Amino acid sequence: AQSVTQPDIHITVSEGASLELRCNYSYGATPYLFWYVQSPGQGLQLLLKYFSGDTLVQGIKGFEAEFKRSQSSFNLRKPSVHWSDAAEYFCAVHGSNDYKLSFGAGTTVTVRA
Amino acid sequence: DTAVSQTPKYLVTQMGNDKSIKCEQNLGHDTMYWYKQDSKKFLKIMFSYNNKELIINETVPNRFSPKSPDKAHLNLHINSLELGDSAVYFCASSQAGDRATYEQYFGPGTRLTVT
């Protein structure tokens, strides 16, 4: 069964600074990887996804993520954060042969002025 | 138009009551899901239906019963509510079969509070 670990529970970053959120997955075959964002009181919005091909994927809102198979990682980055990026970020993995999306525990991002 | 909608958005009820949450998607997807997000924001799948057929049934108390009257709707009925059922419940949908569409679209969530 697949699983996801997000090592950082909470990250505080200054507005305009860069952001990197870590994600490690466990899955025996090629994973399908996702990053979702949940703003306070809202549902989940897909930021980006990786299925195959180029290991650096671009998403919405200026986010990008890099898939590194050797490290079983799919870290999310943004060069310059905005106050509106304060939210909960979830990494998720989908197995190739089932319908299940498994989420990490999430990372809370706080943006200070 | 909202892609995945849930009603109600908030639900406050007492222990022992029975309640339902409704979900509708207008994306033409054939697979729908229910997730539970606990107080620590951990998301866990509860159920999934594909073409009205139950395909995922995680370890969930049998007080929870999903019902899918058609591909566009997936409702969640909860009997004999307990304090531990307090959580945010998310509905989601996707199109199965094509790996390019494993992407799941989520509803806004229903915050259930049991007192």
Side-chain angles (χ1 to χ4, degrees), chain B residues 11-21 63-65 76-82 85 112 114:
Chain B
L11 184 54
V12 181
T13 188
Q14 292 183 326
M15 285 174 51
N17 285 348
D18 303 338
K19 290 293 178 186
S20 292
I21 306 172
R63 299 181 295 101
F64 290 78
S65 54
L76 183 65
H77 188 76
I78 315 170
N79 290 327
S80 304
L81 278 154
E82 301 177 356
D85 298 331
L112 171 64
V114 182

Side-chain angles (χ1 to χ4, degrees), chain A residues 37 39 45 47 59-64 78-80 84-85 89:
Chain A
V37 61
S39 297
Q45 181 182 22
L47 285 175
I60 62 171
K61 304 186 179 189
F63 285 93
E64 65 177 27
K78 185 169 184 177
S80 177
S84 61
D85 293 322
Y89 291 80

Side-chain angles (χ1 to χ4, degrees), chain A residues 32 34 36 38 41-44 46 49 51-52 88 90 94-101 103-105 108, chain B residues 9 31 33 35 37 40-43 45 48 50 55-56 58 90 96 99-104 106-108:
Chain A
Y32 301 128
F34 304 82
Y36 284 86
Q38 182 181 21
Q42 303 297 313
L44 282 79
L46 181 70
K49 59 193 175 191
F51 293 131
S52 66
E88 192 78 21
F90 293 96
H94 194 298
S96 55
N97 295 318
D98 60 44
Y99 292 91
K100 196 180 299 187
L101 190 62
F103 286 87
T108 303
Chain B
K9 189 168 175 63
T31 306
Y33 311 79
Y35 289 85
Q37 185 174 46
K40 296 185 178 178
K41 299 197 174 179
F42 186 69
L43 275 155
I45 189 163
S48 177
N50 173 254
I55 55 172
I56 295 177
E58 292 294 285
F90 286 101
R99 68 172 189 171
T101 53
Y102 278 165
E103 176 180 337
Q104 294 185 18
F106 284 78

